[in-house]
Amino acid sequence: MSLVSIDIKEEKLLEKGKEFGKSGQYKEILGLAKFSIDPNQEINKKITDIKNLATNSDGMVEFSADVHIMLPVDMNKSNKKIIYDVNNRGNKVMLSQFNSASRGIMVAGVAPEDDIGNGFLMEEGYTLVWLGWSNDAPPIDGKLRLYSPEISKNGHPILGKIYSQFQPLKDVNQIMLSDRMHVPFPAYNTNDKEAILSFKKYPDDDPVEIPRDKWRFAWDDGNEVLDNPNFIYMDEGFKAGIMYQISYKAYGAKATGLGLAATRDLISYLKYSEDKNNPTSSDIDYAYAFGVSQSGRFLRQFIYLDFNYDSLDREVFDGIIPHVAGGMRGEFNQRFGQASKDLPSVIAQLYPSASLPTDDIEKSEKDGLMENFRKRKSNAKVFFVNTGAEYWRGDASLIHTTSDGKEDIDAPLNSRVYHLSSCMHGPGIWPPTDTQEADGMRGQNYLNSIDYTPLMRALLVNLDNWVSNNTEPPESNHPRVSDNTAVNPNSLREKYTKIPISFPEHFSFPRKMNFGDDESVINNLPPENGEFYGSLVSDVDDDGNEIAGIKHPDVAVPLATSTPWNLRHPDVGAPYQIIGLTGGPRGATVPFKKKKDDDNNAVRGSQINLYESKENIIILDNIKECVVSGLNGYIVVQSDESLLICRKSDEQEIKKFVNDLKKI
């Protein structure tokens, strides 16, 4: 294996030595994993441009990556299982998904400290592992990064084409050549006449080219507009909500595929190596991988390219959960790959989406995502988990249908496909808000408030039982063509408008995009648009909630219409578009109309008696009887562990109150 060492920079007790049930105390290790990889070894030849990387005197390619491990102080108290969290643009994800931890907001260019939440994973005894796998993750303190060498030929950096897309939230004159703050590829020449900038209304539209003399590679420093290879500038400005695409020549490509190899070899080392410096002492029976969105797509790429076997032909991960990845992969083993790119409409690798072999939409090839698993007779188990948002983005249904959407495709026996009904891309928050705090994206309705993280814990338990105890999990649960629960999204217009909810004027179906014959070295840019894929979504009931899939209690016994989509607010431009057509889909919560009494009280609960009380909102689901007297203009909301009482006039302060409760 290629892991040479883990240089520990810091080792400390987690949460000041807190005891986590039978697992006892945990410690965390922060360091740098150093790798030395053989470019001539068969399992490494699939790493794009491995032969174009500098080698040491032994002919090995050297690189490194940030590593972070949380594990029991006494490994005898562990469950002997690793869960590897494929970080998302340098950020840890599994703590929020399994431990119900909050995801802090970056302040002053420093990543927030980890919130371990309710400690579920620790109490279960897992060893938690993170590794920097992407070299374009934002260079911010606290974020995990890969430090891979630059690709070169004959001692010179490689020149190649880049394709990127942007959708500003406000009118601006300049845009950085990156997405989600990832490290950009600078234009090799600010006067590049072959660079093409275009725009379109929807992802599946044909682009409209902007004349080259209307824009430039430049940056306004506040005094003057100066040439800058990392930015594009336009006097007329970039309009909020409009989708802009650019193709240009760049330099500085690094070997993105080393992130796949680093993941493989780190977990193999922790799982199998008897090296005295191995933090786990190789006392590991099983290893699980978990990835969300971008990192879920990474795991789909990991599966497809057969990285789940180490140099000794041992399986690395025994269970894998690509979550909200839809039917896509990404630029994770591509020359000039932008691993952090969050743009489904420009991702080259859509096909194959289904695990079993199926024809491409243009009948030009037949392939399946898990073909290498089948050929190797792999014992690894896979849960493909998605929400309704990935269906409305247009690619999730292609996991379990033919490319034209006309027939169902079953999942392989060692996998399951699960749909989280009426949920959006990420877990919802309470109280509902129409604005994302992280980036300012705003919806026309409240953002979907369903917190589906309890379902994620259940899925992890089921995967673990399947792997370690051979206990079969529930059958796949998702929309199907055969029972008419998988439908054309445009067929739902009447149901939604009756609720009423403003329905999207257009659904963007993904298209076959011709980037050239080699997905590892893209040469056909901008790509040529081909045929449309047959995307489907779940049918909905009369309340507008999805029929198919695993139902959260908020969907099974609803008090609102929960949609996996939400239209953009006019303040952020393009109010005709679904949020997330270029990544990060967001849903909506539309509360059912409240029944009010003669004093304008909105009440929900078993037996609530009101006397001389007006203009109140009272929700007490877990109290059998309650008497309220002399209360005017208040909000009273009770949950399992807390009680909120505040004036209606303080509605804007509710978020602060809730955050204070969490801290307590």
Side-chain angles (χ1 to χ4, degrees), residues 101-114:
S102 62
R103 297 187 68 178
I105 304 299
M106 183 181 68
V107 178
V110 178
E113 291 187 7
D114 297 324

Side-chain angles (χ1 to χ4, degrees), residues 49-297:
D49 284 310
I50 188 73
K51 293 290 189 178
N52 293 321
L53 299 177
T55 57
N56 62 18
S57 58
D58 296 323
M60 308 293 277
V61 174
E62 296 180 344
F63 65 100
S64 60
D66 297 320
V67 66
H68 193 162
I69 303 173
M70 297 179 183
L71 73 169
V73 172
D74 182 357
M75 285 297 288
N76 292 319
K77 296 180 178 180
S78 79
N79 65 2
K80 300 186 177 183
K81 298 166 187 174
I82 285 172
I83 180 164
Y84 172 70
D85 181 10
V86 186
N87 76 79
N88 189 297
R89 299 171 181 87
N91 299 308
K92 303 178 182 69
V93 184
M94 67 175 157
L95 294 173
S96 62
Q97 293 280 337
F98 298 124
N99 279 19
S100 296
S102 62
R103 297 187 68 178
I105 304 299
M106 183 181 68
V107 178
V110 178
E113 291 187 7
D114 297 324
D115 174 13
I116 65 166
N118 58 26
F120 167 78
L121 293 173
M122 290 78 177
E123 291 181 359
E124 291 293 309
Y126 281 103
T127 294
L128 284 60
V129 181
W130 297 269
L131 179 75
W133 61 268
S134 63
N135 51 55
D136 71 346
I140 295 169
D141 289 345
K143 290 183 180 277
L144 299 156
R145 297 189 68 203
L146 174 73
Y147 308 98
S148 62
E150 192 169 293
I151 301 166
S152 63
K153 282 188 176 182
N154 302 319
H156 299 286
I158 287 178
L159 187 68
K161 278 190 173 184
I162 294 288
Y163 188 51
S164 292
Q165 180 168 307
F166 316 95
Q167 191 176 23
L169 294 178
K170 59 182 180 181
D171 294 350
V172 294
N173 289 100
Q174 59 196 23
I175 294 176
M176 190 175 185
L177 291 172
S178 70
D179 181 52
R180 300 286 291 270
M181 297 176 62
H182 78 241
V183 178
F185 283 109
Y188 92 103
N189 181 359
T190 56
N191 294 313
D192 181 7
K193 302 301 182 184
E194 297 180 8
I196 297 174
L197 179 66
S198 59
F199 71 92
K200 54 188 174 182
K201 185 176 180 180
Y202 292 107
D204 54 351
D205 287 342
D206 290 321
V208 179
E209 190 170 338
I210 299 172
R212 185 63 178 86
D213 60 357
K214 297 292 185 181
W215 64 277
R216 54 191 286 201
F217 291 100
W219 151 267
D220 186 352
D221 68 357
N223 296 310
E224 59 181 325
V225 180
L226 302 170
D227 286 354
N228 191 311
N230 293 305
F231 291 82
I232 49 176
Y233 180 91
M234 191 157 57
D235 285 327
E236 296 180 3
F238 300 91
K239 303 301 180 184
I242 299 298
M243 298 177 180
Y244 296 91
Q245 304 84 41
I246 186 170
S247 64
Y248 64 99
K249 290 181 181 177
Y251 58 88
K254 296 184 177 181
T256 57
L258 289 178
L260 295 159
T263 294
R264 174 196 67 200
D265 294 342
L266 172 67
I267 302 304
S268 175
Y269 173 84
L270 295 174
K271 188 177 179 183
Y272 297 116
S273 177
E274 296 180 358
D275 181 354
K276 65 179 181 180
N277 295 316
N278 183 353
T280 70
S281 303
S282 70
D283 196 17
I284 299 294
D285 293 332
Y286 304 106
Y288 305 136
F290 175 70
V292 175
S293 193
Q294 173 225 25
S295 48
R297 293 190 283 107

Side-chain angles (χ1 to χ4, degrees), residues 329-342:
R329 293 180 283 127
E331 300 179 8
F332 308 128
N333 191 34
Q334 185 175 299
R335 182 182 294 178
F336 289 101
Q338 299 168 90
S340 296
K341 186 187 299 184
D342 191 11

Side-chain angles (χ1 to χ4, degrees), residues 245-472:
Q245 304 84 41
I246 186 170
S247 64
Y248 64 99
K249 290 181 181 177
Y251 58 88
K254 296 184 177 181
T256 57
L258 289 178
L260 295 159
T263 294
R264 174 196 67 200
D265 294 342
L266 172 67
I267 302 304
S268 175
Y269 173 84
L270 295 174
K271 188 177 179 183
Y272 297 116
S273 177
E274 296 180 358
D275 181 354
K276 65 179 181 180
N277 295 316
N278 183 353
T280 70
S281 303
S282 70
D283 196 17
I284 299 294
D285 293 332
Y286 304 106
Y288 305 136
F290 175 70
V292 175
S293 193
Q294 173 225 25
S295 48
R297 293 190 283 107
F298 174 91
L299 287 176
R300 288 176 58 84
Q301 188 88 333
F302 190 89
I303 291 169
Y304 182 65
L305 295 181
D306 195 31
F307 273 92
N308 202 42
Y309 287 83
D310 67 10
S311 59
L312 298 178
D313 219 29
R314 299 171 298 193
E315 276 197 306
V316 177
F317 294 114
D318 305 282
I320 303 175
I321 306 180
H323 177 51
V324 294
M328 299 185 299
R329 293 180 283 127
E331 300 179 8
F332 308 128
N333 191 34
Q334 185 175 299
R335 182 182 294 178
F336 289 101
Q338 299 168 90
S340 296
K341 186 187 299 184
D342 191 11
L343 305 167
S345 63
V346 298
I347 291 173
Q349 303 96 331
L350 179 65
Y351 176 84
S353 298
S355 296
L356 294 176
T358 183
D359 289 324
D360 185 20
I361 188 65
E362 296 180 348
K363 309 291 185 184
S364 57
E365 53 185 318
K366 190 169 186 173
D367 200 358
L369 190 82
M370 294 179 64
E371 272 299 273
N372 282 312
F373 270 40
R374 182 188 63 79
K375 292 174 182 177
R376 287 185 177 270
K377 298 180 180 180
S378 170
N379 291 314
K381 309 296 191 290
V382 186
F383 282 179
F384 297 101
V385 185
N386 288 283
T387 70
E390 294 72 55
Y391 285 83
W392 280 85
R393 192 177 63 191
D395 52 279
S397 65
L398 300 172
I399 296 174
H400 50 78
T401 73
T402 52
S403 297
D404 57 12
K406 293 182 179 180
E407 297 178 33
D408 296 314
I409 295 177
D410 291 329
L413 294 177
N414 59 334
S415 71
R416 295 287 190 272
V417 177
Y418 295 122
H419 164 223
L420 305 185
S421 183
S422 281
C423 294
M424 69 174 181
H425 192 64
I429 60 173
W430 188 266
T433 176
D434 66 357
T435 305
Q436 292 179 185
E437 187 175 3
D439 60 5
M441 174 59 79
R442 188 179 181 191
Q444 293 185 22
N445 298 290
Y446 284 132
L447 302 180
N448 190 307
S449 62
I450 298 176
D451 178 6
Y452 60 68
T453 54
L455 301 180
M456 300 307 299
R457 286 194 291 275
L459 286 165
L460 177 61
V461 170
N462 274 285
L463 179 70
D464 178 38
N465 284 332
W466 196 12
V467 171
S468 60
N469 300 323
N470 202 30
T471 302
E472 291 273 341

Side-chain angles (χ1 to χ4, degrees), residues 464-507:
D464 178 38
N465 284 332
W466 196 12
V467 171
S468 60
N469 300 323
N470 202 30
T471 302
E472 291 273 341
E475 292 298 319
S476 295
N477 194 345
H478 55 77
R480 295 181 180 274
V481 176
S482 59
D483 63 7
N484 297 316
T485 55
V487 300
N488 186 303
N490 294 310
S491 69
L492 301 177
R493 183 178 301 275
E494 184 177 355
K495 285 186 177 180
Y496 279 119
T497 52
K498 281 182 178 179
I499 291 174
I501 299 175
S502 295
F503 194 77
E505 68 175 38
H506 176 81
F507 179 86

